[in-house]
Amino acid sequence: MTGWTPSFWLDIFDELLYDDNELDYGDEWNLNFNYTQTNEITKEERKRGWKVYSHCAFGKFQCGVCRKTWPSARAVVLFRYRVRNGRGTVIMRPFGQACRRCQDGEYDLPGFNRKEVEHALLRLFSKIRKNCYGEEESDDVSSTSSVKVWTKPHEAALCEACRLGICCLEDE
């Protein structure tokens, strides 16, 4: 597991879409990143078909200053998605956590292993099938980490998602 790697997410996104046909509706989907988006959707955006899904995963963080690492079962990734005119767009934002040792106000972004990335994307695709294509949602995927892991108690003061009020919310 390394630090935050957008290309890792892009590769797995493409594999699940094109090798495993997770969204087999003939639309072309792509994944983008936006490091400032929130879970707020305006009326205008809603009219244009945007939906939001927040996922809580197990990730590892590393301080960019002192290099300290720590695991967290509350590494939050936020997805916005919509399909329009044969094109599907997913915009993703990972949320960071600050280093307890440095307390420098900087948020470090999480790294994830392959299993966590796959789990997050499969859960997202389940939401997309339900909300964009009217399919029943499958019960076998939950919006939290695929593995139950023990980590130290969550420190809300150091969590960017907590600060914005969206840490590990169950989705709407």
Side-chain angles (χ1 to χ4, degrees):
M1 190 178 312
T2 57
W4 170 243
T5 316
S7 59
F8 189 52
W9 284 81
L10 289 164
D11 291 346
I12 295 173
F13 184 85
D14 284 347
E15 275 173 38
L16 293 173
L17 275 185
Y18 301 111
D19 300 345
D20 301 348
N21 297 318
E22 279 296 323
L23 296 175
D24 209 6
Y25 292 91
D27 295 317
E28 185 184 317
W29 281 87
N30 62 52
L31 174 62
N32 301 298
F33 302 90
N34 174 327
Y35 297 95
T36 58
Q37 75 180 357
T38 69
N39 64 335
E40 304 282 312
I41 289 194
T42 64
K43 261 199 192 104
E44 237 358 86
E45 289 170 320
R46 203 174 294 276
K47 264 189 215 146
R48 292 198 304 262
W50 287 103
K51 306 232 180 320
V52 167
Y53 167 56
S54 175
H55 184 81
C56 197
F58 176 75
K60 283 219 167 109
F61 294 83
Q62 181 168 30
C63 177
V65 178
C66 73
R67 314 309 290 159
K68 171 183 159 63
T69 61
W70 66 95
S72 175
R74 287 186 171 210
V76 176
V77 289
L78 180 72
F79 299 101
R80 280 176 180 249
Y81 60 92
R82 77 167 181 185
V83 66
R84 200 167 191 190
N85 305 326
R87 296 187 71 85
T89 303
V90 173
I91 305 171
M92 177 185 173
R93 175 186 178 178
F95 286 89
Q97 291 183 6
C99 177
R100 186 188 321 129
R101 186 187 294 161
C102 291
Q103 303 262 332
D104 61 356
E106 290 296 307
Y107 291 111
D108 299 291
L109 296 177
F112 299 94
N113 67 26
R114 182 179 183 91
K115 190 172 179 187
E116 285 295 328
V117 172
E118 281 180 359
H119 181 75
L121 291 174
L122 288 170
R123 185 74 179 118
L124 169 69
F125 292 153
S126 172
K127 293 280 173 205
I128 289 172
R129 285 193 299 271
K130 175 187 173 206
N131 295 319
C132 297
Y133 299 109
E135 263 191 37
E136 287 295 307
E137 194 165 7
S138 55
D139 292 334
D140 57 341
V141 232
S142 77
S143 63
T144 51
S145 172
S146 55
V147 206
K148 286 289 169 238
V149 281
W150 185 87
T151 57
K152 290 182 176 162
H154 188 60
E155 293 188 52
L158 301 175
C159 174
E160 186 179 22
C162 280
R163 194 174 54 86
L164 293 168
I166 57 172
C167 191
C168 296
L169 291 176
E170 274 307 303
D171 42 287
E172 302 166 74

